[in-house]
Every structure is written in C-alpha cells, then in structure tokens.
Amino acid sequence: MIIRNGDLNDVPAVLRMFDSAVEWLTAQGRTGQWGSEPFSASPARVEKVASWASSGGMRIAELDGEPAGCMVVGVPVDYVTPASEPELYIQGLVIDQRFHGRGVGSALLERAPAEAAEQGISLIRVDCYAGDDGRLVKYYESQGFTRTETFTVKEWPGQVLEMRLPAGTA
C-alpha cells in the first residue's frame, strides 16, 4: 500500500469511495451517517470533495495500484469547539468497500501522527457520526483516539475524538 497526496484528478475515485460506503451502510440499515443517496448525486457533496482535493490535505491510499481510501487533514470544522492549541484535524476518512478489511483506514490514520509531528503539532482531532450502534466511534477508539465532546448538527449526533502525540515527538 502506498499513500500519496491527492488532487483534483482523484475526485471521481473519492466520490466512488463515498458511494460504495453509502451503499454498504444502507445495506446494513445504517443510513443515519450519510443517508442512502450516492454522494456523487449531491452537488454540495461533489463540491466538498473537490474543495478537499484543492486544499493540499487530501491523502489517497492505493492498494494494488487502485485508489482504496482517502483521508483529508486540515483546519477544524466550524461545528466543534475550537482547540486551545494548534492541531491537525482529520476532516474526512473513507475507504472503497472493495478493500474493506484490508487495513486501508488504519494505514491512513497512521499517517496523521507523522504529519502532525512534522508540523510540530501534538494534538490530532477527528469527528464522526455517533448514532446507531456507535461502531464508528469505537473504530476510532481502536485506532488510539479518545472521546472528548459530543455535538449535534441538524439532528446528526457527532463525537469529537483526539489523539495526543507522546512528549518529544511533535
């Protein structure tokens, strides 16, 4: 697996990743996170992915030469309480469900501490959907994040999680 910087050429592949994730979640009856309509059918979501691709913070994991997952790092989102120190914020994470169970998400998340350390930052935060059975929150905890605050945006329950780098690594 390689992880590389993403750009506008990756927008179609990332939209396919989101579409596959929505289809997978919908098949499980878990539509609370992203609904049941494909991301690629929503102009606002297409625009969001394009803005991520232009931001310089998009990371693409490739497996067997194919885009398998995407993580976007950058500034914190406006619906969570700002941190009182510099941070690296994971704005998005998705994998193509064809690669489910192959460690793509974990590999992308392992890149975040290295990037934070390179920037002299010791705090990494992410937010995620906290509804249904809470499996997504548990996933981030299994990756070394700890829960901090909860929030709600338009009836969408969310959880902010953080990871602190050990002293001396940032």
Side-chain angles (χ1 to χ4, degrees):
M1 183 177 326
I2 65 161
I3 298 175
R4 62 172 174 78
N5 290 342
D7 60 31
L8 286 169
N9 294 321
D10 293 301
V11 170
V14 173
L15 288 169
R16 283 192 301 274
M17 291 175 201
F18 275 108
D19 287 351
S20 77
V22 168
E23 183 179 339
W24 182 77
L25 288 166
T26 299
Q28 295 182 30
R30 300 171 65 202
T31 58
Q33 182 174 347
W34 289 326
S36 60
E37 296 299 316
F39 259 55
S40 59
S42 166
R45 287 179 164 171
V46 171
E47 184 178 320
K48 182 63 165 175
V49 172
S51 74
W52 283 342
S54 298
S55 74
M58 181 179 275
R59 308 295 176 254
I60 302 293
E62 290 184 351
L63 201 54
D64 302 326
E66 290 190 64
C70 174
M71 177 178 69
V72 181
V73 295
V75 298
V77 294
D78 59 4
Y79 51 81
V80 300
T81 305
S84 60
E85 63 188 275
E87 68 180 309
L88 183 71
Y89 203 92
I90 299 171
Q91 298 172 337
L93 178 71
V94 66
I95 67 162
D96 185 319
Q97 290 304 300
R98 295 177 300 147
F99 300 95
H100 181 83
R102 296 187 58 192
V104 175
S106 295
L108 285 163
L109 289 172
E110 287 171 8
R111 171 118 177 207
E115 289 196 26
E118 288 170 10
Q119 297 175 39
I121 295 171
S122 60
L123 176 64
I124 303 165
R125 291 198 308 163
V126 64
D127 69 86
C128 69
Y129 178 65
D132 294 328
D133 55 10
R135 283 174 54 187
L136 189 54
V137 173
K138 291 173 189 157
Y139 171 76
Y140 281 109
E141 289 176 323
S142 77
Q143 300 299 307
F145 288 85
T146 56
R147 297 176 197 213
T148 57
E149 67 182 84
T150 59
F151 63 93
T152 303
V153 175
K154 298 180 183 173
E155 299 179 22
W156 189 88
Q159 176 70 56
V160 177
L161 300 101
E162 72 178 22
M163 176 187 291
R164 291 212 166 263
L165 299 184
T169 57

